[in-house]
Amino acid sequence: MYAWTGKILRLNMTTKTATIEDNKYCKEYLGGQGLADRIIYDEVPTGTHPQDDASKIVIAAGTLCGTGAACSGRTSVALMSAFTEVPTIVDAHMGGNMAPQIKFSGYDAIIVEGKADAPTWVKIHNDEVSFEDASGVWGLGTRKTTEILNQEAGPEYCVCAIGPAGENLVNDSIIVNSMCHAAGAGSGAVFGSKKLKAIVIHGTKSVAVADPMKTLELQQYQLRELIGVNNNHVQPSNQQSWNEFVGATRWQGGPGKMWGEAIGGPLDTGEQKPGDINAIGMRNHTINFFMGNDDIAFKHTVKTGGCYSCPIRCFPDLHFDALKEYGTQYNTATCMTLMHTGDYYNGHINDFVDPGDGALTLGSHIQWLMDDYGVWCGYGDLDYTFAYCMKNDIFKQKLSAEEYAEIPWALQEAGDPQWANEMVSRIATKKGEFGRVLGLGSLWTAKEWGFPDSFWNEATGTYFNFKKGYIRHHSSESFGQVGGLVNIVFNRDSMCHTHQNCLGNGLPYDIVKGVLEEKFGEGCADKTACYTPMNPAKAKFAKWSIVRNNVHDSLALCNWVWPMTFSPMKERGYKGDTALEAKLLTAVTGEEWTEESVDFVGERIMQLQRAMTALELNSKNLRADHDGVSDWVFDRDPDKAAFTEGTTKLDRADWETALDLYYEEWGWDKATGIPTRATLEKFNLADLADKLEAAGLLPA
Amino acid sequence: MSAKKIFDKEVTRRQFLKVTGKGVAGLAASTSLLNLFGLTKAEAESGAVSVMATADGVLVANGARCTGCQRCEVNCTLLNDGKAMPYISRVKVLRNYYHGNDGKEGGIFGSFDYTPDTCHQCEDPACLKACPMGAISVRESDGVRVIDKDKCVGCGACARACPYGMPTIDPETNKSTKCVACGFCAANCPCGALKIVKWEDVAAAMA
């Protein structure tokens, strides 16, 4: 068998046994997210809490993982959620090196089930699997754990570990590999409930590739002609010798843009002309894009990093002398926590060494601690909740006087790094009500502390989904209804970047519009803050964004770079190649795949998740029970009407039309947003239709 | 390739080895060579750079630019073995990636200092001498040390003899894999951390 290993490794923590089984879902679900979701559906009873005995977690590699495809190092994880009202199917994803080692060990996925009676780590080397005593590393952070387990197993092993947050069953917890590559959604607590401290894995097998030369040829085509940087921004933020446009993009590298703390002295990232494969990795600097401030992030950059097999190095490897005394001086991460320092410090940020270096330095310190303690930020959910509590004096109101007095707020006011240690460690160890409640996730924090509906509704533009416990991820601010519709289907923040990657990529709007309209029809892509009423082309664009996201998470390619919708090359009219996934899949498997056939699998995965969600919510009407949107979406900018220039607000009646058209595209019942039997059967999901029908949830 | 050309290469190679001695310290004195290799003086002196005099040219591995994507490893085996199998790659990064080349201070869990290991194409190859089957020889056309797959029995003597731990026995074929200086890793390194500089250019820079 090419590309797939055709095998799944099952780890039973109760019996401490490992079994190798056949993967019967290769072609139907591809791998990664699709495979992991299907296994959860097959094996975990609806309603199972993620930390229950019956709960399982699936860690899956994609079909293209290990084949050398660009950006194919991502790991898909499927589990049940604890941060939502009821347990629902959620995906979590991490980069780094875990998935390729699963593949090179001879597996497409690992299923973890049961519960060990004592702390355990699992060592995997190809077919050799052993359950080891983890009592010596239980309680340690992910970094020290990695260091110790690498000494035990070998320096080349990938350690995927939990920190104290996972051990203490914190809803907002992660599993993390390769220092900073984390899958969130409470995956750490699932490991913790199973007393699984870490999976430590190294494989020495091959991944068979049907046509190696074609695979290499396609990769070179992509690297020379199609790929840009993170978010597939395809034009630099600076003028180089070749670029027609300069944009506010994550393509921050260029002549004179230096890795300031490079080994051997400052290193000029240099000219990065499309076609020059050897300069691709010098292009990206995401956090410099966000921080700006006279290239402060470049100044602290040693080099860049990122995931296995990815030429886009979106993780800056940063160094801060000022953090040496805290042991956090070397850190790497992309964005989020790194740029939300102000939230955690309530604006108390001071310079460390250079003017304006406070936010980045402190942000890096917090990020380091979050990854080490294994706390999940929920794409900023924790940051926003914390900031809301500070702003509204919630801690003073809800904590006991003793606990409030005991928390060293003076450290926060002083902008002292030690504040972050206090805050993160309290959450990871559930210390006091402060620690326990903040780690529950925004929905349960809001419930426990009685937040008013304005927490979700006010025009902070944070929570697109009303009272769901997960925040917007490129929602209505990204192509209006398109981003909004993208944000309603999952049970966590929508980690879909397909649409977002078309926005702010450095190309003028007219070029972006032209390429997208060719694909989806006229009027599919409004200019930002110049929105127009809903139309069928927007529904097609939104649906494709989700479908292709699922394809990527199953192959598994990074949806923060893929698809190749655009190109940096003027000679191509800046048009990319959205058939490249199918071409690569054909080359590595030796089977004929087309854009349509890979998208069919991507759609199947959404149909599966949607039906699972209806079952989990026991909902006859997902339109009402799941897809609700917060008021700010329609009420922001009160002085402006929707569909006028200068606002990203949407219109309530138009949103109902948007849902109608979107559901129609998916083959979902318009009134309830639940897949019809015909739709489910089209995707070979008749078993889901039967189950929905038996539960009285299938649309008439 | 003519005998004259090989002779020229050998002269250049020897001259180059004189300049660099056992390491790259000597390189720092030659601005023209530094420019040719795309290195700064400080980089050459930092310990993050290795230069290997291969038959085809000088293989420069610059740890300051290596960002750990490991594409070199998989590209090596796709091209040379027709499968994706980093374990048998002739260039090795993963083993240095987490905790550095010395396994202590560097790597992504340390100071981010790590460098890809490459075949040295040794003047006096321990792998060749150790092979009991005479499977490793010097290719006449370009001087590269190559493995005759028909003679190799996968005993692992070469892997044990190499002071740099570079040859690897492919457990699926039971044959040794060794760098043949094809340059594909360097041609596809996304950060230019690996580079093969042709002897002709080295000769010009040293002239």
Side-chain angles (χ1 to χ4, degrees):
Chain A
M1 183 179 260
Y2 292 112
W4 293 282
T5 68
K7 300 290 176 192
I8 290 170
L9 178 66
R10 184 182 298 276
L11 302 176
N12 187 308
M13 299 304 295
T14 309
T15 58
K16 292 199 169 69
T17 51
T19 48
I20 299 169
E21 301 168 7
D22 289 336
N23 174 6
K24 60 182 177 183
Y25 288 127
C26 295
K27 286 162 200 171
E28 211 174 340
Y29 288 92
L30 289 174
Q33 179 196 353
L35 174 62
D37 286 355
R38 180 71 212 198
I39 293 169
I40 291 285
Y41 174 71
D42 286 351
E43 301 193 9
V44 179
T46 301
T48 302
H49 188 275
Q51 294 154 23
D52 283 350
D53 290 356
S55 172
K56 303 187 186 193
I57 187 166
V58 184
I59 303 160
T63 321
L64 288 172
C65 176
T67 66
C71 324
S72 63
R74 290 188 64 81
T75 309
S76 293
V77 180
L79 69 157
M80 304 304 290
S81 59
F83 58 88
T84 47
E85 181 86 36
V86 296
T88 46
I89 177 74
V90 283
D91 302 305
H93 306 267
M94 60 184 171
N97 292 271
M98 186 68 180
Q101 291 308 324
I102 292 173
K103 211 76 180 279
F104 294 130
S105 290
Y107 311 107
D108 295 327
I110 297 173
I111 303 170
V112 186
E113 61 189 20
K115 286 183 175 177
D117 53 4
T120 303
W121 64 279
V122 178
K123 182 182 174 187
I124 303 168
H125 175 64
N126 302 339
D127 302 342
E128 300 162 24
V129 181
S130 59
F131 294 77
E132 310 281 346
D133 176 9
S135 56
V137 288
W138 198 256
L140 298 180
T142 58
R143 289 178 169 82
K144 190 70 187 168
T145 299
T146 302
E147 189 186 317
I148 291 170
L149 296 185
N150 271 140
Q151 281 167 3
E152 295 245 353
E156 68 279 25
Y157 276 73
C158 178
V159 177
C160 177
I162 60 169
E167 296 173 9
N168 292 310
L169 311 182
V170 174
N171 285 356
D172 279 358
S173 57
I174 57 174
I175 56 176
V176 58
N177 85 86
S178 306
M179 186 161 172
C180 53
H181 295 276
S187 52
V190 180
F191 267 41
S193 69
K194 298 177 181 313
K195 290 274 194 293
L196 175 59
K197 180 65 178 177
I199 294 176
V200 181
I201 184 167
H202 179 60
T204 56
K205 296 186 179 183
S206 65
V207 170
V209 173
D211 189 340
M213 295 317 289
K214 184 70 185 173
T215 304
L216 287 169
E217 182 193 310
L218 286 167
Q219 280 182 38
Q220 297 218 340
Y221 157 60
Q222 179 187 15
L223 299 193
R224 288 189 201 288
E225 295 191 27
L226 304 175
I227 209 164
V229 296
N230 184 217
N231 281 21
N232 212 28
H233 290 174
V234 291
Q235 293 284 289
S237 60
N238 51 75
Q239 186 63 59
Q240 303 189 13
S241 70
W242 57 273
N243 51 315
E244 188 179 10
F245 307 109
V246 172
T249 66
R250 300 181 185 200
W251 189 327
Q252 295 274 305
K257 299 288 183 180
M258 318 287 277
W259 292 351
E261 298 212 28
I263 297 157
L267 193 159
D268 194 331
T269 56
E271 181 85 358
Q272 298 142 2
K273 198 172 182 180
D276 180 1
I277 288 178
N278 302 132
I280 291 173
M282 311 304 283
R283 296 173 180 174
N284 194 82
H285 207 309
T286 300
I287 198 61
N288 200 69
F289 161 73
F290 283 115
M291 284 285 175
N293 198 9
D294 200 19
D295 289 340
I296 187 74
F298 265 119
K299 284 180 193 163
H300 287 274
T301 300
V302 177
K303 54 171 70 167
T304 55
C307 304
Y308 178 84
S309 197
C310 183
I312 305 301
R313 313 311 282 158
C314 72
F315 279 63
D317 292 346
L318 302 168
H319 176 244
F320 302 91
D321 258 340
L323 295 173
K324 194 173 180 184
E325 62 182 289
Y326 304 93
T328 60
Q329 68 269 36
Y330 290 105
N331 187 38
T332 178
T334 45
C335 47
M336 291 320 292
T337 299
L338 201 52
M339 51 193 261
H340 286 181
T341 317
D343 291 341
Y344 291 121
Y345 274 84
N346 201 25
H348 299 297
I349 299 168
N350 308 314
D351 294 342
F352 281 81
V353 179
D354 299 315
D357 69 354
L360 181 68
T361 309
L362 270 182
S364 185
H365 178 69
I366 305 170
Q367 179 79 64
W368 195 103
L369 293 165
M370 295 278 277
D371 289 339
D372 196 48
Y373 278 95
V375 176
W376 185 44
C377 78
Y379 188 65
D381 182 61
L382 177 60
D383 320 10
Y384 289 120
T385 306
F386 185 85
Y388 178 87
C389 290
M390 290 304 302
K391 191 179 164 198
N392 294 281
D393 235 0
I394 301 289
F395 295 123
K396 202 170 239 172
Q397 295 163 31
K398 299 295 174 184
L399 302 180
S400 69
E402 294 76 24
E403 184 178 350
Y404 188 83
E406 187 263 335
I407 294 172
W409 299 103
L411 291 173
Q412 188 197 44
E413 284 161 26
D416 190 318
Q418 196 61 34
W419 165 252
N421 295 60
E422 283 286 338
M423 182 189 67
V424 177
S425 66
R426 280 167 195 260
I427 295 169
T429 58
K430 291 184 172 171
K431 186 176 177 185
E433 284 296 276
F434 177 97
R436 185 187 69 81
V437 177
L438 281 175
L440 293 171
S442 60
L443 179 70
W444 295 104
T445 303
K447 280 174 183 275
E448 291 240 2
W449 284 344
F451 292 177
D453 282 356
S454 58
F455 172 69
W456 311 98
N457 278 332
E458 275 179 1
T460 54
T462 301
Y463 293 98
F464 188 82
N465 307 77
F466 181 62
K467 280 191 180 175
K468 293 293 181 297
Y470 42 89
I471 76 176
R472 74 173 163 82
H473 200 144
H474 307 309
S475 63
S476 50
E477 75 282 9
S478 303
F479 296 113
Q481 300 96 334
V482 174
L485 293 169
V486 162
N487 267 246
I488 61 169
V489 292
F490 293 112
N491 298 313
R492 58 166 294 182
D493 67 290
S494 166
M495 295 174 296
C496 174
H497 263 237
T498 317
H499 65 307
Q500 180 66 15
N501 293 357
C502 305
L503 198 66
N505 61 5
L507 296 173
Y509 170 68
D510 285 344
I511 292 177
V512 171
K513 181 172 176 263
V515 169
L516 292 174
E517 288 195 340
E518 203 177 303
K519 260 186 107 55
F520 306 109
E522 200 180 334
C524 67
D526 290 339
K527 195 173 184 178
T528 299
C530 294
Y531 293 165
T532 62
M534 185 62 190
N535 62 48
K538 292 181 182 179
K540 286 187 195 334
F541 183 18
K543 180 189 170 188
W544 182 75
S545 296
I546 293 289
V547 163
R548 201 49 77 94
N549 169 79
N550 292 355
V551 167
H552 295 152
D553 286 342
S554 302
L555 284 176
L557 299 171
C558 179
N559 187 240
W560 275 257
V561 178
W562 288 77
M564 299 291 106
T565 316
F566 294 91
S567 152
M569 298 186 90
K570 189 178 182 184
E571 301 89 310
R572 293 182 62 97
Y574 301 106
K575 194 178 164 187
D577 182 349
T578 56
L580 188 59
E581 296 92 329
K583 291 174 187 171
L584 272 168
L585 194 58
T586 301
V588 299
T589 62
E591 297 159 11
E592 189 62 29
W593 286 87
T594 63
E595 249 190 295
E596 292 71 29
S597 63
V598 294
D599 283 349
F600 188 77
V601 177
E603 183 167 354
R604 170 181 289 132
I605 295 162
M606 190 68 253
Q607 303 294 359
L608 170 71
Q609 274 214 12
R610 189 72 173 176
M612 287 175 78
T613 301
L615 290 164
E616 288 155 352
L617 267 59
N618 193 29
S619 170
K620 289 180 180 172
N621 190 347
L622 287 178
R623 185 171 183 137
D625 299 339
H626 184 271
D627 299 347
V629 168
S630 298
D631 285 342
W632 65 262
V633 175
F634 312 109
D635 296 341
R636 72 188 332 180
D637 300 330
D639 299 337
K640 291 194 170 80
F643 311 132
T644 59
E645 202 171 330
T647 181
T648 57
K649 79 193 294 182
L650 299 182
D651 174 79
R652 283 190 171 81
D654 178 79
W655 180 250
E656 296 305 318
T657 307
L659 289 177
D660 286 349
L661 291 171
Y662 192 49
Y663 292 167
E664 198 174 330
E665 279 295 323
W666 285 108
W668 298 343
D669 175 56
K670 267 193 198 175
T672 66
I674 294 175
T676 63
R677 175 172 284 280
T679 297
L680 291 168
E681 287 183 348
K682 179 180 163 192
F683 292 96
N684 198 23
L685 294 167
D687 52 340
L688 271 291
D690 293 344
K691 203 165 176 184
L692 283 170
E693 189 163 21
L697 308 176
L698 192 71
Chain B
M1 200 172 281
S2 70
K4 175 78 169 57
K5 192 90 180 176
I6 293 167
F7 174 74
D8 286 344
K9 270 189 192 176
E10 277 306 306
V11 169
T12 307
R13 180 183 157 102
R14 283 185 197 132
Q15 280 178 342
F16 177 76
L17 288 171
K18 266 188 194 170
V19 171
T20 58
K22 282 185 180 172
V24 291
L27 195 63
S30 167
T31 309
S32 55
L33 278 177
L34 286 174
N35 287 340
L36 181 64
F37 295 163
L39 298 171
T40 64
K41 188 167 182 282
E43 279 171 2
E45 289 170 346
S46 70
V49 176
S50 65
V51 290
M52 306 296 170
T54 78
D56 232 19
V58 176
L59 176 57
V60 181
N62 184 355
R65 284 177 171 268
C66 178
T67 61
C69 70
Q70 303 159 64
R71 288 186 62 77
C72 51
E73 293 187 353
V74 75
N75 279 330
C76 169
T77 66
L78 277 171
L79 184 77
N80 291 299
D81 307 284
K83 58 186 178 183
M85 193 178 187
Y87 174 65
I88 58 167
S89 169
R90 293 109 181 128
V91 53
K92 297 183 188 296
V93 183
L94 177 62
R95 65 189 187 188
N96 303 328
Y97 176 64
Y98 296 117
H99 303 286
N101 293 54
D102 65 355
K104 290 173 188 163
E105 304 293 319
I108 60 165
F109 284 90
S111 62
F112 302 119
D113 190 354
Y114 53 89
T115 310
D117 293 330
T118 54
C119 175
H120 292 222
Q121 301 289 350
C122 302
E123 189 88 41
D124 185 22
C127 59
L128 184 151
K129 290 200 291 192
C131 178
M133 307 305 292
I136 303 177
S137 61
V138 178
R139 190 162 62 199
E140 264 186 44
S141 60
D142 56 12
V144 170
R145 289 84 173 128
V146 295
I147 293 170
D148 183 337
K149 296 274 182 195
D150 292 335
K151 288 184 182 171
C152 175
V153 293
C155 68
C158 55
R160 288 189 294 276
C162 174
Y164 311 104
M166 294 308 296
T168 309
I169 306 300
D170 179 347
E172 294 173 359
T173 61
N174 204 34
K175 301 288 178 188
S176 177
T177 59
K178 197 200 148 298
C179 178
V180 291
C182 70
F184 197 64
C185 56
N188 289 282
C189 173
C191 291
L194 291 166
K195 194 180 280 189
I196 288 188
V197 183
K198 292 193 177 307
W199 282 121
E200 286 83 343
D201 297 330
V202 176
M206 290 196 301

